[in-house]
């Protein structure tokens, strides 16, 4: 193996270590988003608000596994493993790029659908539907659709209480914003992070794919 191939080998190994850490980070970020949103399936109104966090966790898990085996294949100088790894990186590149493009193209429509999900939760906020606004008000420390003024009797969830029999104090709920804007802002900040990080990661994956192909070719020629 010549000097350039040796350089590719160790550079690829280091990049794989970065991607192992990146995969773990994506899993953590997706898990935090799911935890923050709480149980929102009760008022999704046909919009699955958990789709993106779950996709992030899946992509993070796949990235971790592929990068881990990439480290093993690279350090052992196995041409077959390195070729399979390159193909996996190409597939990941395509998926990451598709996710990034979709978020860039459909971001406004997606944020609008998140706002409509809260509107539907407000319209169906009754005992028969299980008070879907409670989950949102507890998770985001907000009150009402656009503000606490919409309530005749402010529920305990506007003060962070899970027990609906508790009385919510005015000094607490009067400081809390409307849930619609809070929920849309939450998704706006997270989709910005996801689309730019996905694009950057996709470019790194393309570079790794090219280096892996070069390295596999050099291994076969030995």
């Amino acid at each position: 193996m010549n000097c350039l191939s040796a350089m590719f080998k160790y550079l690829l190994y280091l990049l794989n270590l970065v991607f192992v850490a990146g995969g773990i980070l994506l899993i953590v970020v997706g898990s935090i988003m799911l935890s923050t949103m709480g149980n929102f399936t009760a008022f999704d109104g046909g919009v699955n608000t958990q789709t993106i966090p779950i996709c992030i966790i899946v992509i993070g898990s796949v990235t971790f596994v592929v990068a881990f085996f990439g480290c093993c294949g690279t350090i052992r100088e196995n041409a077959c493993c390195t070729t399979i790894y390159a193909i996996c990186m190409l597939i990941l590149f395509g998926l990451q790029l598709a996710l990034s493009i979709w978020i860039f193209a459909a971001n406004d429509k997606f944020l609008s659908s998140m706002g409509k999900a809260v509107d539907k939760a407000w319209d169906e906020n009754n005992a028969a539907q299980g008070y879907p606004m409670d989950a949102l008000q507890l998770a985001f420390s907000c009150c009402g659709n656009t503000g606490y003024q919409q309530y005749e009797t402010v529920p305990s969830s506007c003060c962070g209480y899970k027990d609906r029999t508790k009385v919510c104090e005015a000094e607490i709920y009067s400081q809390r914003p409307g849930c619609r804007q809070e929920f849309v802002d939450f998704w706006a900040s997270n989709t910005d992070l996801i689309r730019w990080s996905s694009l950057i990661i996709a470019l790194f994956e393309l570079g790794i794919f090219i280096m892996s192909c070069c390295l596999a070719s050099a291994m076969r020629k030995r």
Side-chain angles (χ1 to χ4, degrees):
M1 185 178 291
N2 59 35
C3 182
L4 184 61
S5 297
M7 184 185 73
F8 276 158
K9 171 186 171 180
Y10 290 107
L11 180 59
L12 199 57
Y13 180 73
L14 290 173
L15 287 173
N16 275 312
L17 290 179
V18 172
F19 269 94
V20 167
I24 295 172
L25 180 62
L26 286 173
I27 293 169
V28 171
V29 169
S31 300
I32 290 173
M33 288 178 69
L34 279 177
S35 176
T36 301
M37 288 190 300
N39 183 22
F40 290 170
T41 54
F43 65 88
D44 59 16
V47 179
N48 193 344
T49 58
Q50 297 182 342
T51 299
I52 287 184
I54 290 172
C55 285
I56 292 171
I57 293 172
V58 170
I59 291 174
S61 301
V62 173
T63 300
F64 172 79
V65 172
V66 170
F68 177 78
F69 284 106
C71 285
C72 298
T74 302
I75 208 69
R76 288 175 176 271
E77 299 183 11
N78 187 306
C80 181
C81 286
T82 305
T83 302
I84 293 172
Y85 170 68
I87 293 170
C88 289
M89 271 297 163
L90 182 62
I91 294 170
L92 276 176
F93 164 73
L95 291 174
Q96 292 270 173
L97 188 62
L99 176 63
S100 182
I101 291 172
W102 178 79
I103 294 177
F104 269 105
N107 191 49
D108 290 342
K109 183 178 179 181
F110 177 76
L111 293 178
S112 175
S113 69
M114 291 299 100
K116 289 177 182 177
V118 181
D119 290 338
K120 185 171 179 63
W122 176 255
D123 292 339
E124 297 180 356
N125 192 41
N126 51 56
Q129 298 296 329
Y131 296 106
M133 286 297 293
D134 281 355
L136 191 59
Q137 288 164 170
L138 288 169
F140 287 90
S141 299
C142 55
C143 190
N145 190 6
T146 59
Y148 71 90
Q149 297 89 344
Q150 293 177 290
Y151 283 114
E152 291 183 8
T153 303
V154 177
S156 59
S157 59
C158 280
C159 289
Y161 306 140
K162 292 183 179 180
D163 185 357
R164 289 189 61 84
T165 60
K166 285 191 174 182
V167 177
C168 186
E169 298 84 2
E171 58 267 23
I172 299 177
Y173 68 71
S174 61
Q175 301 299 317
R176 300 204 166 185
C179 291
R180 193 184 200 280
Q181 192 59 49
E182 282 294 294
F183 194 57
V184 171
D185 287 347
F186 167 80
W187 279 107
S189 61
N190 279 286
T191 51
D192 278 343
L193 175 64
I194 294 166
R195 62 184 178 179
W196 285 109
S197 60
S198 293
L199 185 60
I200 292 169
I201 291 172
L203 293 175
F204 268 103
E205 286 168 345
L206 179 61
I208 289 176
F209 164 72
I210 295 170
M211 283 191 292
S212 298
C213 289
C214 294
L215 187 58
S217 177
M219 287 175 179
R220 291 193 183 93
K221 290 177 181 178
R222 286 191 304 172

